[in-house]
Amino acid sequence: MKASIQHLQPYVPEKPLTTLKAELGLDQLVRLSANENPYGTSPKVAAAVKNWDFTQSNRYPDAEAAELRQAVATQQHVDPDQLVFSVGLDEMIVMLSRTFLSPNDQVLVATPTFGEYGLHAEIEGGQLVSVPTKTNGQIDWPAMQAAVTPQVKMVWLCNPNNPTGTVESLADITAFVQAIPATTMVLIDEAYLDFAPQATALTAMQLPAAYPNVIVMRTFSKAYGLANFRVGYAVVPPALAPTLQAVRLPYNLNSLTQIAALAAIKDQAFVADTVAKNATERALWQAFFDEQGIQYDQSAANFIFFTYPQADQLATYLLQHGYSLRTGLRPNWLRLTIGTAVDNQAIRSLILAYQDLQ
Ligand SMILES: *Cc1c(COP(=O)(O)O)cnc(C)c1O
């Protein structure tokens, strides 16, 4: 076994809800720890999947995902050849780490951020270099720029960032790209950008056509409500597309996945509804935290990162009352996925009741 992975522990995934409910003896459990879409999935996806011709099961899927490719290219105003699909963005993080990292290369992140970047850097024998975000959760750009040494081969920018939810401007991202060597890859993870106000003005989607070292990623798992289908993609500089297509497993997206994603992209009304409801609920959460004097980062996403004294005890109380939040990201901070209006109201009441108990 290669030395870089001998000490790794398996990722602790979300337990199936039915298992967790049985373990806790709960009738009702709402998972607000994984940033899933609380409004479900477009009914048009269900119809498209049911319509699939099962007699094609013995055939390999379309390795090019041609129809989906065209639909995404049209939606994002990019060349279809710039698109590389993956089994969720998780697989894209694996592919990019495999492609750009050699042992002892360094990978730069602004922490706290999504843990998968560091995991796959390690698996490739690379080292993670972390620059702390500012106290408001935003990237410290001068410090990031100063950290780009010749050993740094990849920089991950998560925008909006998981877990802080904070957003960076396209101007700042572009200035960073222009300030660092063109041989350092800048990988921009826009998993949550659909939820951000002015998302179309914030996206870095047009940068890969202009800069040979910029890649932008999206997933269908969050705003599109397709986490179970596992589909994401990267927009890459044209010169890199053949290499990334060579690294990608040819049949990584099965036909059902392609059909589901295509139906989801065609139902923009569902996405717009999800985004609008999320924005309303996010504002209600911020107002509540302000009233209660609870500190949180300014979120442009479908989750909020907030701090609470002995946060794990609050999380346990909420879990016992049927709501699971994400713990373990930073001491005394919790990440709450913004749920439906009814669930959010119920959780706020639980927090008030908990405060009365203290
Ligand atoms: C959820 C998430 C992803 C990946 O999700 P997939 O389901 O694998 O597409 C990628 N990046 C961030 C920051 C995420 O939170």
Side-chain angles (χ1 to χ4, degrees), residues 123-138:
I123 292 173
E124 300 307 325
Q127 292 153 7
L128 195 67
V129 178
S130 307
V131 170
T133 55
K134 296 187 287 185
T135 48
N136 66 2
Q138 290 203 279

Side-chain angles (χ1 to χ4, degrees), residues 88-90 114 117 158 162 189 191-192 219 221-222 230:
L89 272 192
D90 281 353
F114 193 45
Y117 310 142
C158 187
N162 179 2
D189 181 341
Y192 299 100
T219 176
S221 295
K222 311 283 162 59
R230 317 300 305 125

Side-chain angles (χ1 to χ4, degrees), residues 303-314:
F303 53 84
I304 301 190
F305 198 43
F306 67 97
T307 181
Y308 199 87
Q310 267 140 44
D312 285 356
Q313 284 177 26
L314 172 63

